[in-house]
């Protein structure tokens, strides 16, 4: 019999706040009701604010992040088009694989798992492409498999440096709503997210924002598509409806999830993720285990991927943590299967929740025979969180003012 709560520390799905959960527990409603646009139109406008775009259009498709990738590709490109991508983890690998399977010509720069986007390699490929045959540049903002974040602004700079007209598509599935994402500033043409990570919902929605340039490209794209057609969706969205039955409970949940992000203030959300991640990294350092991410500039604030010693199998460790302590950790995927385990620290989370996960990891590491002084990693995190709280100590009433200041205009 299970007692207490299970610990969900995979990097998606993430914990669902109670008010979001309650908002989804509704009687089924009429998705063609006359007053639905009063709900849908502001919701779409607020999704765009989370992506930091005023010119981009938010689109919500039933599906997951993977569907978002497919929608981006099939709406804007033409059969056989050349796309530039880099693979450095399981998710970037899968996106490249999708490009291949959909018949695009894939220029793939392989980087070591644990590194970020090879911006110099992108710059070279773009500079060499004098006749502009590359139609889209694909970038994985946060590689969830390795706990690596890359600088999308640098990718944009590499494109602009040679005036390359390709579109920029970004996978922000495990970053948007948790790590700063600036669609307009970086001139991202399509940003893809999903509901079950930073948006704190069940899986089921592909959440996209599409630039005017990508919308224009979609008018000339000859790829076959139907369910994920931007134009069909946008036409009905404009009126506050959908071209087919939308998952209303998820949309009601999304409303409350975005309200929460707004109330906390996006900058505070990002700062919280950074703080929680930093404490996790302090614990890992105290355990003496290396991160999969090779350099601090790539450390992810939403997921930490940790390498286990040679004699330990990370899959067995994860299994043990689950059966012994009801703690779910992220598995090592693809190339790093068995070598890496991951702690997801995104979404609705605070210090105490994360300390419970770090405690469970530490016990599991000890049980696996790894030589750690009990409390070492948890102690390092405790000390970090304690000092971080003291540094930012402020009366509660100021926090409300801050939230108002930082909430969306
Ligand atoms: C989770 C994730 C995806 C998409 O996965 P789905 O299971 O289809 O939602 C894509 N990219 C990244 C970086 C992810 O973390």
């Amino acid at each position: 019999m299970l007692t207490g709560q299970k610990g969900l520390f995979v990097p998606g799905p993430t914990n669902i706040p109670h008010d979001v959960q309650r908002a989804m527990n509704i009687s089924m409603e009429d998705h063609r009701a006359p007053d639905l646009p009063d709900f849908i139109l502001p919701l779409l406008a607020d999704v765009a604010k989370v992506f930091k775009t005023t010119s981009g259009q938010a689109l919500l498709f039933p599906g997951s992040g993977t569907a978002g990738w497919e929608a981006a590709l099939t709406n804007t490109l033409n059969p056989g088009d050349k796309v530039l991508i880099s693979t450095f983890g399981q998710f970037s690998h899968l996106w490249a694989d999708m490009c291949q399977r959909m018949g695009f010509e894939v220029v793939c720069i392989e980087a070591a798992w644990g590194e970020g986007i090879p911006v110099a390699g992108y710059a070279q490929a773009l500079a060499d492409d004098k006749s502009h045959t590359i139609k889209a540049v694909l970038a994985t903002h946060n590689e969830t498999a390795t706990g690596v974040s890359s600088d999308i602004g640098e990718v944009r700079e590499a494109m602009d440096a040679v005036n390359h007209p390709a579109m920029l598509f970004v996978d922000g599935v495990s970053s948007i709503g948790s790590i700063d994402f600036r669609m307009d500033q970086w001139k991202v043409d399509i940003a893809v997210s999903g509901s079950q990570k930073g948006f704190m919902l069940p899986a089921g929605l592909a959440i996209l924002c599409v630039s005017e340039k990508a919308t224009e490209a979609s008018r000339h794209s000859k790829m076959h598509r139907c369910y994920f057609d931007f134009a069909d969706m946008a036409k009905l969205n404009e009126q506050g409806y959908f071209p087919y039955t939308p998952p209303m409970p998820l949309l009601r949940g999304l409303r409350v999830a975005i309200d929460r992000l707004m109330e906390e203030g996006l900058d505070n959300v990002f700062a919280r993720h950074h703080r929680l991640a930093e404490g996790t990294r302090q614990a890992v350092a105290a355990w003496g285990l290396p991160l999969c991410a090779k350099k601090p500039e790539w450390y992810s604030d939403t997921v930490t991927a940790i390498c286990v010693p040679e004699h330990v199998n990370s899959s067995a460790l994860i299994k043990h943590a689950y059966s012994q302590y009801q703690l779910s950790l992220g598995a090592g995927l693809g190339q790093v299967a068995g070598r890496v385990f991951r702690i997801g620290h995104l979404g609705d989370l605070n210090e105490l929740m994360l300390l419970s996960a770090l405690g469970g990891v530490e016990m599991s590491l000890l049980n696996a025979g790894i030589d750690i002084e009990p409390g070492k990693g948890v102690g390092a995190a405790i000390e970090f969180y304690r000092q971080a709280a003291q540094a930012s100590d402020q009366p509660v009433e100021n926090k409300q003012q801050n939230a108002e200041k930082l909430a969306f205009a």
Side-chain angles (χ1 to χ4, degrees), residues 12 31 47 52 57 70 74 85 97 100 140 155 174 189 199 215 230 261 273 291 305 322 352 372 375 387:
H31 64 286
V47 168
K52 294 194 179 164
Q57 185 175 17
E70 185 162 330
T74 56
I85 190 168
D97 179 62
Q100 214 111 44
T140 302
V155 175
S174 61
D189 291 295
F199 286 96
T215 302
F230 284 175
L261 293 174
H273 280 82
L291 295 177
Y322 184 78
L352 294 195
I372 302 168
Q387 285 170 15

Side-chain angles (χ1 to χ4, degrees), residues 309-344:
E310 287 290 322
H311 64 278
V312 175
N313 180 326
S314 67
S315 308
L317 183 90
I318 291 162
K319 205 169 161 189
H320 174 81
Y322 184 78
S323 52
Q324 192 73 26
Y325 302 117
Q326 304 176 38
L327 169 62
S328 284
L329 300 166
L333 302 173
Q335 267 184 34
V336 292
R339 306 306 328 141
V340 155
F341 71 93
R342 296 173 297 149
I343 302 174

Side-chain angles (χ1 to χ4, degrees), residues 285-313:
W287 291 327
L289 298 177
L291 295 177
C292 185
K294 292 185 196 294
K295 282 189 195 159
E297 66 190 87
W298 291 319
Y299 290 173
S300 166
D301 283 343
T302 57
V303 53
T304 298
I306 301 149
C307 303
V308 293
E310 287 290 322
H311 64 278
V312 175
N313 180 326

Side-chain angles (χ1 to χ4, degrees), residues 72-105:
L73 300 172
T74 56
N75 274 279
T76 54
L77 298 172
N78 285 299
D81 270 358
K82 199 183 272 187
V83 299
L84 174 63
I85 190 168
S86 171
T87 55
F88 46 89
Q90 185 67 6
F91 292 95
S92 46
H93 163 74
L94 287 174
W95 203 11
D97 179 62
M98 175 185 278
C99 291
Q100 214 111 44
R101 286 159 65 171
M102 308 213 84
F104 300 115
E105 188 182 333

